[in-house]
């Protein structure tokens, strides 16, 4: 019967949409649950992060858009320690990742370069080691990149020069080496935002690749 066929077709679509919504909602929730498992939370600020809920939009410190996708993680100054997880790269609608003033160690996951909607990456005042991932050069919406007061090493990745949206870069008080980029958005970043990196050699000079020597 034609009418019955249409009705079951519509029903099928409704059920399919519900399944797709639940699955995509859960994948963002799963990424945040992976983060929670990887962190130590003496202040119990993550207690509302209940993995049995359909999506994480009702959790404290999480903001979603109207479609139920996570746009903000606000966990600055919350006494968290532990390490970041690659799963964070699955939060494809994320605009603000605020984890400043904690005691997070380990490296910055390369997968953060997949957060194509990211506006603000605030990891300053932690205990992060390793390099600044060159993959961050893929973040074509990024405005704020604040990584100061960690223990980051290596060069400032030249891939960042291509992030034309960048307005604020602060990598002061780390152990970076090489030279400071001067092109693109870096023309407008004050030198003080690179201060207190004893091995950083100063602004890059045209035609001189000296930043490659003695810098891993
Ligand atoms: C973080 O720890 C300090 C010192 O123990 C405490 O005063 C503060 O309330 C804690 N903050 C949170 C969010 O748990
Ligand atoms: C940072 O981590 C190192 C070990 O990796 C540790 O010795 C140091 O105390 C940590 N710093 C802070 C402020 O906790
Ligand atoms: C910057 O982007 C241009 C093209 O958009 C590309 O050719 C170049 O390799 C990029 N530079 C870096 C350092 O990623």
């Amino acid at each position: 019967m034609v009418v019955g066929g249409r009705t079951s077709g519509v029903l099928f679509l409704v059920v399919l949409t519900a399944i797709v919504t639940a699955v995509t909602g859960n994948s963002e929730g799963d990424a945040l649950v992976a983060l929670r498992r990887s962190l130590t939370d003496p202040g119990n600020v993550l207690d509302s992060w209940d993995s049995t809920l359909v999506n994480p939009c009702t959790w404290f410190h999480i903001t979603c858009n109207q479609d139920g996708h996570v746009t903000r993680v606000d966990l600055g100054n919350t006494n968290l320690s532990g390490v970041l997880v690659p799963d964070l790269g699955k939060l494809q609608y994320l605009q603000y990742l605020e984890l400043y003033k904690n005691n997070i160690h380990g490296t910055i996951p390369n997968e953060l370069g997949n957060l194509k909607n990211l506006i603000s990456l605030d990891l300053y005042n932690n205990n992060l080691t390793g390099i600044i991932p060159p993959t961050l050069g893929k973040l074509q919406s990024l405005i704020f990149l604040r990584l100061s007061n960690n223990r980051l090493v290596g060069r400032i990745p030249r891939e960042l020069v291509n992030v034309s949206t960048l307005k604020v870069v602060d990598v002061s008080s780390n152990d970076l080496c090489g030279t400071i980029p001067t092109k693109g958005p870096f023309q407008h970043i004050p030198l003080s935002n690179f201060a207190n990196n004893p091995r950083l050699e100063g602004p890059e000079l045209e035609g001189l690749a000296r930043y490659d020597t003695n810098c891993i």
Side-chain angles (χ1 to χ4, degrees), residues 110-199:
N110 293 334
E111 289 79 1
L112 295 192
N114 298 335
L115 300 174
K116 59 180 190 295
N117 291 298
L118 201 65
I119 292 172
S120 177
L121 178 57
D122 281 327
L123 303 176
Y124 57 90
N125 290 72
N126 276 290
N127 202 357
L128 293 166
T129 51
I131 62 166
I132 301 174
T135 53
L136 299 186
K138 294 193 290 179
L139 300 174
Q140 294 295 310
S141 304
L142 195 67
I143 298 176
F144 304 96
L145 176 61
R146 287 178 283 221
L147 306 174
S148 52
N149 287 287
N150 280 290
R151 296 190 291 136
L152 298 169
V153 298
R155 297 172 51 196
I156 299 168
R158 263 37 188 185
E159 285 79 357
L160 289 173
V161 168
N162 271 354
V163 182
S164 58
T165 46
L166 267 179
K167 292 268 186 289
V168 177
V169 176
D170 192 345
V171 294
S172 58
S173 301
N174 278 290
D175 193 22
L176 300 171
C177 55
T179 55
I180 301 168
T182 53
K183 297 194 178 73
F186 286 88
Q187 291 170 59
H188 307 291
I189 309 295
L191 282 179
S192 55
N193 291 10
F194 302 94
N196 202 13
N197 284 281
R199 300 162 63 207

